[in-house]
Amino acid sequence: MDIPRIFNITESAHRIHNPFTSEKLATLGAVLRLKPGTRVLDLGSGSGEMLCTWARDYAITGVGIDMSQLFSKQAKLRAEELGVAHRVEFIHGDATGYVADEKCGVAACVGATWIGGGVAGTIELLAKSLGADGVILIGEPYWRQLPPTEDVARQCFAHAISDFLMLPELLAFFDNLGYDVVEMVLADQEGWDRYEAAKWLTMRRWLEANPEDDLAKEVRTQLTTAPKRHAAYTREYLGWGVFALMAR
Ligand code: SAH
């Protein structure tokens, strides 16, 4: 079981697989006022940077589930590196329908809301693992500017303009589900550069090492086109943030 191989190639060197920098991730941890021993569930935990750094900085404990074998392995190594392997556990698997045995203080899905079939479904799924007065974290894109055409939306990792909302609409969406938005930390264009541009050097090095690979042609095309596409579209149109929610 694994995610499409292209992501394991292009994001193999990423610690954070979204447009947050390590500073933004630290800000998010700080604003949540996490108490030591808080249990955090993370669906689509990637390379584990959120759980590992928060375990180091705030003494949380946590469980992360991720479908990428590579990212799950990197998460375990990171936990050892930061000396928090006793506090965090990483499970390689499909997080679809995953409900924790023990109730959590924080239940997160940061940049992987397809796991619950969209934002509403993911909130519903995370709520099943949450203790009383727990906090749900949703990491999700929104439009900074509404794309003028469907084609522009498709250049921004969307299938259609309707895939994402504008920020006020996204906040209203949470409200309509019966949740208070109690905090939010938003990515910026610098964060998008870190997430996207870091893929370019990784792709270049991978191509040098794997010229005959089945995916070499696809990676070559991506490397040639990604910088211009990023500058013209993603960087300008797409926003991204993590929203902290508490049921009303
Ligand atoms: N939250 C992490 C990773 C976000 S990228 C971070 O912010 O760094 C999305 C992640 O979802 C990837 O790591 C991918 O491997 C994982 N993923 C995709 N589908 C999944 C599924 N069905 N179950 C668990 N993880 C999944």
Side-chain angles (χ1 to χ4, degrees), residues 90-156:
F90 290 101
I91 300 168
H92 170 239
D94 188 345
T96 308
Y98 185 92
V99 178
D101 310 335
E102 218 182 299
K103 297 284 182 200
C104 301
V106 176
C109 182
V110 176
T113 52
W114 56 86
I115 285 174
V119 173
T122 299
I123 290 174
E124 206 178 302
L125 173 63
L126 291 170
K128 293 180 185 164
S129 299
L130 207 62
D133 297 325
V135 173
I136 287 179
L137 296 181
I138 293 285
E140 184 70 6
Y142 59 87
W143 296 120
R144 282 182 69 221
Q145 298 180 55
L146 201 63
T149 63
E150 292 292 342
D151 194 47
V152 169
R154 282 192 289 271
Q155 298 290 333
C156 303

Side-chain angles (χ1 to χ4, degrees), residues 3 16-18 44-46 65-68 71 93-96 110-112 114-115:
I3 59 171
I16 303 173
H17 304 265
N18 70 52
S45 43
I65 297 102
D66 199 280
M67 209 154 90
S68 163
F71 301 166
D94 188 345
T96 308
V110 176
W114 56 86
I115 285 174

Side-chain angles (χ1 to χ4, degrees), residues 30-86:
V31 300
L32 292 175
R33 307 171 205 170
L34 299 163
K35 295 204 174 71
T38 301
R39 209 175 145 74
V40 182
L41 172 69
D42 191 9
L43 304 186
S45 43
S47 298
E49 193 68 0
M50 186 173 86
L51 288 181
C52 290
T53 54
W54 289 2
R56 177 195 62 193
D57 299 340
Y58 304 110
I60 58 110
T61 63
V63 182
I65 297 102
D66 199 280
M67 209 154 90
S68 163
Q69 264 182 66
L70 175 69
F71 301 166
S72 304
K73 192 176 82 189
Q74 290 177 165
K76 284 180 191 160
L77 289 174
R78 187 69 173 146
E80 281 164 27
E81 187 182 22
L82 296 186
V84 295
H86 57 296

Side-chain angles (χ1 to χ4, degrees), residues 222-238:
Q222 274 206 28
L223 175 56
T224 308
T225 55
K228 288 166 290 219
R229 179 168 116 149
H230 171 63
Y233 301 111
T234 319
R235 197 174 197 279
E236 292 305 314
Y237 288 95
L238 210 53

